[in-house]
């Protein structure tokens, strides 16, 4: 998995988690809220593992906002890879 897929999965995971938490709160089912919390934990782990520069391998989690055009650590261009 590359950094673009990792970031997309994180955003999808957050959206799914918010929906699950919303459903869990409305239905007052604690197990649904636990599933949402597990999704958040899994997404945080995959994001910390895979959201890295393909050139130097350093984490890009220190960058806020969209994927940067250049790595803040090595300065090389981060091209969009599918
Ligand atoms: Zn780099």
């Amino acid at each position: 998995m590359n950094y673009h897929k990792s970031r997309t999965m994180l955003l999808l995971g957050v959206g799914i988690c918010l929906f699950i938490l919303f459903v869990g709160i409305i239905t007052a089912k604690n197990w649904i809220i636990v599933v949402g919390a597990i999704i958040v934990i899994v997404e945080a782990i995959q994001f910390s593992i895979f959201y890295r520069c393909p050139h130097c391998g350093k984490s890009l989690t220190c960058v806020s906002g969209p994927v940067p055009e250049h790595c803040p650590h090595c300065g090389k261009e981060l091209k969009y890879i599918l």
Side-chain angles (χ1 to χ4, degrees):
M1 180 184 312
N2 65 38
Y3 60 95
H4 275 283
K5 287 181 184 173
S6 174
R7 187 169 188 280
T8 302
M9 282 190 64
L10 177 75
L11 296 176
L12 282 174
V14 167
I16 291 169
C17 176
L18 289 175
F19 176 74
I20 288 174
L21 289 175
F22 179 73
V23 171
I25 290 170
I26 286 182
T27 60
K29 303 280 186 187
N30 285 340
W31 67 269
I32 295 176
I33 296 172
V34 170
V35 169
I38 290 171
I39 291 173
V40 167
I41 293 168
V42 169
E43 286 299 325
I45 292 171
Q46 74 82 14
F47 191 67
S48 66
I49 292 172
F50 294 110
Y51 194 56
R52 296 182 175 274
C53 172
H55 305 291
C56 67
K58 291 187 177 175
S59 176
L60 298 173
T61 56
C62 62
V63 179
S64 60
V67 175
E69 292 184 9
H70 295 86
C71 174
H73 304 289
C74 66
K76 291 188 178 176
E77 184 178 3
L78 298 174
K79 294 179 182 176
Y80 184 77
I81 303 167
L82 286 177

